[in-house]
Amino acid sequence: MIRCLVVDDEPLALHILEDYISKMPFLQLVKATTNPIEALTMVQAAEADLVFLDVQMPELTGIQFLKIANGKAKVILTTAYPQYALEGYELDVVDYLLKPIAFDRFFKSVQKAQGIIQPVVAKPQVVVQAEPVQQDDFSTDFIFVKTEHKIQKVYLHDILFIEGLKDYISIFTSAERIITLQGMKKMEDALPEKHFVRVHKSYIVALNKIDSIERSRIQIGDKIIPVGDTYRDEFFRMIENKNI
């Protein structure tokens, strides 16, 4: 895990970066603070690998912070003022994020940081299941999913739905959310089509976990999942087979 520290005198900016970091399986938030002196102390104590650093702060500017830290942690600058970019790069920052920060730009930036901090990292992926999935033995079937720290066994009957975000997927069960770096197509192929159906480019649902369907919206618990145009006919064909 890459230990992250967020430093910004704006609470909203802190909240946005906290949320973004929580979505990345290889990032761990150590601290989000409005106090640059506290953050600098943590960097000097080697408590963070990567710092998201605002440039303009009252007690200590981001540029001053960089000079004092002297390379003890990698830094991604965050600011609404593009004129500081050149000086930041001269001080060897990893990247420069201009506010308001979009998630896709954040994603590219932290991938770049990962390549610098962890140059050789095995990408998490879905591991081939220990034995073939038997569609008539759904209650005991499972897959193994590799997360950042471990290979986790996931019983198919526990899965509510799966959500994709670029190369990442989130497997939602009634008990937890499991994040792994993987494509939706490979996950779709690993699941028995009798019990799971792709309903959107970003969603696969467990048929037996669907609570209701209203027009092109599926409800599973308190989650509303859209049915995409590409997948609508196949989905409703499967649902029709279950109708009485």
Side-chain angles (χ1 to χ4, degrees), residues 79-98:
T79 184
Y81 304 97
Q83 63 266 29
Y84 294 106
L86 180 59
E87 189 173 1
Y89 283 123
E90 288 175 349
L91 291 168
D92 197 30
V93 300
V94 172
D95 206 350
Y96 190 99
L97 295 177
L98 193 62

Side-chain angles (χ1 to χ4, degrees), residues 30-47:
V30 175
K31 183 82 173 180
T33 180
T34 58
N35 185 339
I37 307 301
E38 177 188 24
L40 185 58
T41 301
M42 294 179 67
V43 168
Q44 291 176 326
E47 295 178 17

Side-chain angles (χ1 to χ4, degrees), residues 99-213:
K99 298 177 182 178
I101 300 168
F103 181 77
D104 61 338
R105 182 66 183 86
F106 169 86
F107 185 90
K108 291 178 182 178
S109 186
V110 296
Q111 281 193 315
K112 181 179 178 182
Q114 184 185 33
I116 295 170
I117 298 169
Q118 299 174 336
V120 181
V121 178
K123 291 187 176 181
Q125 56 185 307
V126 175
V127 179
V128 176
Q129 48 264 38
E131 54 189 62
V133 170
Q134 301 295 322
Q135 293 193 4
D136 59 351
D137 195 17
F138 183 60
S139 63
T140 59
D141 284 337
F142 58 88
I143 55 174
F144 284 116
V145 173
K146 190 173 182 182
T147 63
E148 189 71 19
H149 296 295
K150 61 185 177 181
I151 296 174
Q152 184 165 345
K153 184 178 186 179
V154 182
Y155 282 100
L156 299 186
H157 67 80
D158 286 336
I159 298 174
L160 303 176
F161 62 91
I162 296 162
E163 181 177 12
L165 175 64
K166 294 189 177 179
D167 294 329
Y168 290 88
I169 61 171
S170 295
I171 302 171
F172 289 84
T173 72
S174 55
E176 61 182 330
R177 175 189 181 191
I178 303 163
I179 300 175
T180 184
L181 184 60
Q182 185 56 254
M184 287 286 281
K185 182 63 170 67
K186 189 167 184 179
M187 174 57 78
E188 183 181 9
D189 292 342
L191 297 171
E193 62 181 19
K194 179 179 179 181
H195 300 289
F196 293 90
V197 59
R198 184 89 172 261
V199 298
H200 188 276
K201 66 179 181 179
S202 300
Y203 290 99
I204 297 170
V205 301
L207 286 170
N208 68 333
K209 297 299 194 299
I210 295 175
D211 294 318
S212 64
I213 304 163

